[in-house]
Every structure is written in structure tokens, then in C-alpha cells.
Amino acid sequence: MYPTAAARELMVLLRISPEIDVVGDVTATVEDPSGLLAWAVVLKECKALAWRSDDSGRGYVQVAAHHARAPIRGQVTAVLAGDRHPAYWSALGLDDLLPGESRHLEVEALSAAWDVMPTTTESVTELPPESDGQ
């Protein structure tokens, strides 16, 4: 997987700046539940939330926490596309979540759901392409 243009720009900035501080909110997307769990472990006192988009109906699981030390000062959020991991979504008990709804989760539930996950890639599905609204 290749970095996005924004990620490449950030990498250049990190190379040319001896020190860099991010003052503001940062959101990272993760590819799988293990990445979400890694963020949950690193972020202190994080909160977990699952939600479905109003417009597309796609489901997401996120962990977020306020961070007040360099190099990031602001809200840090890691987001997983739950629709790409239907077994994980189901293990979290989110099958009944409707578009526009959200549900707070215990961070421990993220780990517990991961424990019952199959170890094959067959539980990962591709998302349909984004619609331009036409």
C-alpha cells in the first residue's frame, strides 16, 4: 500500500524539520482490528465508539483520546471501517446499529471481540466504491 499525497507531504515535513509539533486534531485510519487495538493500547484513557454514517450507512469503530504532549497536542482518533470486518463488527454486537446511530463501547470489548475472531483473511470484505451522489 502506498502512502497518500498528504502522508508523503507529512513525511517530507518530518524530514526537513528537526522538531515538529502537531497542534490540533489528528485522525488515523487503520486497516484491521489489530491496528485499532494497538492505538487503544497506546492512547491513554481513550474512549471507544461505534457509529454508522447517516448518508452511506457504513459502520465505523474508533478509539479517541486527548493528547497533550509533543509531538501531538489535540484529539487523537484511530478509525476502523467496520464494514470491511463484518465478523469483528458482529462480535462487538453492532449488527443492529442503524444509520445515524452511535454506541459507546468499553475498550476491553474491542479486545474481547478480537479474541473470538477467526485468523483467516476471509472475514475481510471489500467496500463498494464511493458514490458521487448521482
Side-chain angles (χ1 to χ4, degrees):
M1 181 171 184
Y2 297 101
T4 64
R8 286 190 302 272
E9 291 171 3
L10 180 58
M11 286 188 268
V12 169
L13 289 173
L14 289 171
R15 286 186 185 149
I16 63 174
S17 300
E19 291 185 30
I20 190 165
D21 280 337
V22 177
V23 180
D25 299 339
V26 175
T27 301
T29 56
V30 296
E31 293 296 316
D32 54 52
S34 65
L36 189 68
L37 289 172
W39 279 90
V41 168
V42 171
L43 294 174
K44 302 294 183 216
E45 299 179 26
C46 68
K47 305 277 190 239
L49 180 74
W51 51 279
R52 278 204 181 274
S53 170
D54 275 330
D55 52 356
S56 70
R58 291 188 178 155
Y60 300 91
V61 182
Q62 70 179 44
V63 293
H66 182 75
H67 195 271
R69 294 185 319 267
I72 300 172
R73 291 174 178 86
Q75 185 77 11
V76 178
T77 305
V79 180
L80 172 73
D83 295 338
R84 291 200 60 217
H85 304 277
Y88 189 64
W89 186 262
S90 291
L92 287 168
L94 299 170
D95 290 330
D96 63 339
L97 199 62
L98 299 174
E101 290 184 341
S102 63
R103 184 173 302 154
H104 292 278
L105 303 170
E106 295 296 323
V107 175
E108 294 78 19
L110 303 176
S111 180
W114 179 249
D115 284 344
V116 299
M117 291 288 301
T119 56
T120 66
T121 58
E122 293 155 3
S123 63
V124 177
T125 59
E126 291 297 318
L127 289 176
E130 288 289 328
S131 169
D132 61 3
Q134 296 181 359

